[in-house]
Amino acid sequence: MEFNRQKFIAAIGASPQETPHNFQIFETVASTNQTLWQLLEGNAPPRTVAIATQQTAGRGQWGRHWQSEPGGLYLSLALFPNVPTQLAAGLTLCSAWGIATALRDKGIPVLLKWPNDLVLSGRKLGGILTETRVQQGKITTAVVGVGINWANSVPETGINLQSFLENNPVSPITSLEILAAVTLMGIVAGYEYWQQEGIEHLLPAYENILSNMGQTVTVDGQAGVVVGVCASGNLRVQICQTGVATPVEISVEPGTISLGYR
């Protein structure tokens, strides 16, 4: 499935001369994140975008392999946030929220699975991998990589958007190029919202579409309930301890527990 550059530009709503983005489109790469870092080493400007038809070594969080067959969306965007490293979680949260919100605005009822999965009908639609470079305690450069299932085959826990829309024709997203444009604009909108409003406004918006709110989880053998997300990106869980009337809230780091799909 060839990615049409002109159709993508038209979906964004700007001519190549007017768009603030530098688009680089590839047939096959190891990963769009890796490719974009290489472009940045060659002095590519901020908001450079790398898009590929397929990836041979796509990655998700924790180094997991991301199945990247033709038919899916594989996109990475370069940002230059220049923020303290302690604000790093905001990059992933704002990207996930921005993409989900953009898709929801197009009639697709996407939810989030903490911290960075896009969920549709209880199954995984896509994921986000954010990588950063740090200098003197500040994140100077970030690459936000996104993989979204469009028409590609998916595992049992996954879903692709084209099959969903065949049964639920509720959205103007009718091509991979339009999906790419909506995704890119979602990342930028989420990023700008985070930069302008701060994490204290982003968190309630993120939690409002978080599928895990109220989910029962087990942490170190103790039952708890998900009640939100911290500014650090950690999951807030209330633990009901035996013999203690008031639940105790703890903070759980990403990768510590598996929330699964339900």
Side-chain angles (χ1 to χ4, degrees):
M1 179 179 290
E2 184 177 348
F3 191 93
N4 187 298
R5 181 187 181 90
Q6 286 69 35
K7 193 172 182 180
F8 173 55
I9 295 292
I12 290 176
S15 69
Q17 293 76 26
E18 294 172 334
T19 176
H21 299 281
N22 171 30
F23 302 115
Q24 300 292 327
I25 298 173
F26 304 88
E27 179 64 28
T28 302
V29 298
S31 80
T32 54
N33 272 24
Q34 178 181 322
T35 298
L36 187 47
W37 282 120
Q38 293 168 347
L39 293 172
L40 291 170
E41 289 169 3
N43 297 317
R47 297 201 177 182
T48 293
V49 180
I51 299 173
T53 300
Q54 64 179 339
Q55 301 178 119
T56 58
R59 291 169 293 128
Q61 288 287 351
W62 332 127
R64 295 171 183 148
H65 174 71
W66 175 266
Q67 188 173 330
S68 308
E69 298 176 357
L73 173 64
Y74 314 112
L75 175 154
S76 295
L77 168 67
L79 298 169
F80 289 58
N82 197 35
V83 297
T85 54
Q86 57 265 35
L87 301 182
L91 276 167
T92 296
L93 298 181
C94 76
S95 299
W97 173 79
I99 296 168
T101 300
L103 292 171
R104 290 169 68 87
D105 287 345
K106 299 299 182 183
I108 302 169
V110 173
L111 295 174
L112 296 172
K113 174 178 171 286
W114 177 79
N116 63 339
D117 279 0
L118 304 169
V119 179
L120 182 62
S121 299
R123 292 185 285 170
K124 184 170 182 175
L125 176 67
I128 297 152
L129 176 64
T130 303
E131 298 175 327
T132 59
R133 297 290 184 268
V134 176
Q135 291 182 3
Q136 298 181 335
K138 288 192 173 182
I139 299 170
T140 55
T141 312
V143 166
V144 179
V146 184
I148 298 179
N149 301 320
W150 169 246
N152 52 302
S153 60
V154 295
E156 187 176 346
T157 56
I159 186 172
N160 73 41
L161 190 52
Q162 194 174 73
S163 63
F164 174 83
L165 292 175
E166 286 175 358
N167 298 315
N168 304 273
V170 295
S171 175
I173 299 178
T174 55
S175 69
L176 182 61
E177 291 80 7
I178 295 175
L179 174 61
V182 170
T183 298
L184 179 59
M185 290 186 285
I187 298 172
V188 172
Y191 176 73
E192 291 179 347
Y193 182 81
W194 171 58
Q195 291 235 309
Q196 294 166 10
E197 303 295 334
I199 194 71
E200 63 273 14
H201 290 280
L202 174 64
L203 282 178
Y206 176 93
E207 292 171 345
N208 191 49
I209 54 173
L210 182 63
S211 64
N212 307 109
M213 292 292 284
Q215 182 176 345
T216 301
V217 295
T218 301
V219 182
D220 295 332
Q222 295 183 304
V225 176
V226 175
V227 295
V229 178
C230 306
S232 65
N234 290 354
L235 195 66
R236 294 170 48 218
V237 178
Q238 282 190 349
I239 298 293
C240 300
Q241 297 178 322
T242 303
V244 179
T246 305
V248 175
E249 184 173 305
I250 64 171
S251 173
V252 179
E253 295 182 359
T256 304
I257 61 174
S258 175
L259 297 177
Y261 283 88
R262 51 180 186 151

